[in-house]
Amino acid sequence: MDDFERYGDYNEVDEIPGHRSTLGKVLRILVAAVILFVVGFLGFRLVLFDYYPSSIKRLYFNDTLAAYYNATGGEIGAKTQRIRFPYDDSTNGYFFSDHLVVIDGADQLQVSLRLNTATVDAIEKKYGLAGLSRESLDYLSFRLVDMVEGEDGEDEVRVLSEGKVVAEESLMMYRYLRLVFDGVDLFEREDGSAPSAWMRVDVYVAGATDGEPFAKLAVYENSEEYNIFKDYIPSRKERPQ
C-alpha cells in the first residue's frame, strides 16, 4: 500500500510543473502581444503625427497663380521654408502648420494646417458653442497678418490677406486644410515699406464674440535671425494644364 501511495505522490509532482510551464508560456505570449501592440500603436501615432495627405501638400494653381505661370513660361520662382515653430501652442498644440510655399512675383503664400477633433472640443468649450462639425470646418476663417508700428508708436496687427481653403481632408482624428493667401507683398512692397520679417496665420471661429483669434501660427520668417529659403519646383501633376 505504501508503494501505491508513493506512486500517487509522484504523479502529483509530475503534473504541477507541467501546468505551471503551460501557464508561464501563455503569460509570456500575452505580455509579448501587449508590448508589440503598444510599440506598434506608438509608432503608428508618430508616423501619423507627421503625415499630410498628398492633396494637402501640393501647390495649387488658382486663377492668379495660373495666369502668372503662363506669363512667365512656368518660371514662377516658388520658394519654400521650414517652419521652425509649427504649432500654435507648445502645451496644447491645437493647430499645426507645414508645407509653406511662397511665390513673390504672384504675391501669393500657401500653407497647410492640421488639427484634431480635440481642437473642436476646445473651441466649443472656450466660446460656449455646441454641435460644431468634426468633418466640415467651414466655421473657421483665416487671416495672414504681420505687425507694424501704429500712429501712436505702439505695434499693431496688419491684415495682409484673407485665406481661402482650396483643399480639405480627414484621416482618423486629424483634419487637414490647404490655404491660399493672395495679394501678399513678400519681398518687395509696392508702397516702399520694408518687407515683413515674419507672418502668421490667425484662426477665427464663426460665432465667437470676443473678436480675438482662437489660434496664432507663425508660418513665415525673413529676418536676420532666420531667412533660409529653398527653390520649390512644381511637379508635373501640380502644373496647370
Side-chain angles (χ1 to χ4, degrees):
M1 179 66 71
D2 291 342
D3 292 339
F4 283 110
E5 290 178 352
R6 287 195 294 273
Y7 181 79
D9 292 341
Y10 292 149
N11 283 342
E12 293 176 1
V13 171
D14 290 340
E15 290 174 1
I16 293 175
H19 176 73
R20 291 178 177 175
S21 176
T22 302
L23 181 60
K25 289 180 179 179
V26 172
L27 290 175
R28 287 194 294 272
I29 292 173
L30 289 175
V31 170
V34 171
I35 292 174
L36 288 174
F37 174 79
V38 171
V39 171
F41 177 76
L42 293 176
F44 175 75
R45 287 296 300 270
L46 288 174
V47 171
L48 187 61
F49 183 79
D50 289 328
Y51 172 79
Y52 282 79
S54 58
S55 64
I56 301 297
K57 297 187 293 184
R58 59 169 295 184
L59 181 65
Y60 276 83
F61 282 83
N62 62 359
D63 291 343
T64 299
L65 189 55
Y68 185 68
Y69 179 92
N70 293 328
T72 60
E75 301 297 327
I76 61 174
K79 303 286 185 181
T80 186
Q81 180 184 67
R82 181 181 68 88
I83 299 176
R84 292 198 297 165
F85 307 103
Y87 44 77
D88 62 318
D89 184 293
S90 59
T91 302
N92 296 311
Y94 292 126
F95 283 85
F96 285 78
S97 59
D98 204 347
H99 304 290
L100 171 73
V101 180
V102 295
I103 307 95
D104 180 33
D107 293 337
Q108 189 177 102
L109 181 149
Q110 299 190 18
V111 69
S112 301
L113 298 188
R114 185 187 75 229
L115 64 150
N116 60 31
T117 52
T119 299
V120 182
D121 296 336
I123 290 173
E124 290 183 331
K125 182 177 180 180
K126 179 175 181 179
Y127 297 114
L129 302 173
L132 294 180
S133 173
R134 271 63 177 167
E135 299 297 331
S136 175
L137 303 174
D138 55 2
Y139 48 85
L140 299 180
S141 60
F142 310 90
R143 293 178 182 173
L144 187 68
V145 307
D146 67 357
M147 198 78 72
V148 294
E149 184 178 335
E151 295 180 357
D152 57 0
E154 297 293 329
D155 288 342
E156 61 182 33
V157 173
R158 172 174 55 180
V159 178
L160 303 171
S161 178
E162 300 286 344
K164 181 178 180 181
V165 178
V166 294
E168 188 172 345
E169 295 283 351
S170 63
L171 178 63
M172 299 184 69
M173 78 289 290
Y174 288 111
R175 302 295 175 266
Y176 306 87
L177 301 169
R178 185 65 173 173
L179 304 178
V180 172
F181 296 91
D182 280 316
V184 183
D185 289 332
L186 290 161
F187 299 108
E188 296 181 5
R189 294 196 178 279
E190 294 181 359
D191 60 6
S193 61
S196 300
W198 58 267
M199 298 179 193
R200 77 171 189 238
V201 173
D202 286 356
V203 182
Y204 288 86
V205 180
T209 58
D210 59 5
E212 290 294 317
F214 174 78
K216 304 174 182 178
L217 298 107
V219 298
Y220 169 95
E221 294 181 76
N222 187 22
S223 64
E224 292 183 2
E225 181 182 357
Y226 187 68
N227 54 17
I228 300 174
F229 293 89
K230 296 181 179 180
D231 292 334
Y232 182 91
I233 309 300
S235 67
R236 290 186 177 181
K237 293 182 179 180
E238 292 174 309
R239 299 169 190 170
Q241 301 299 322

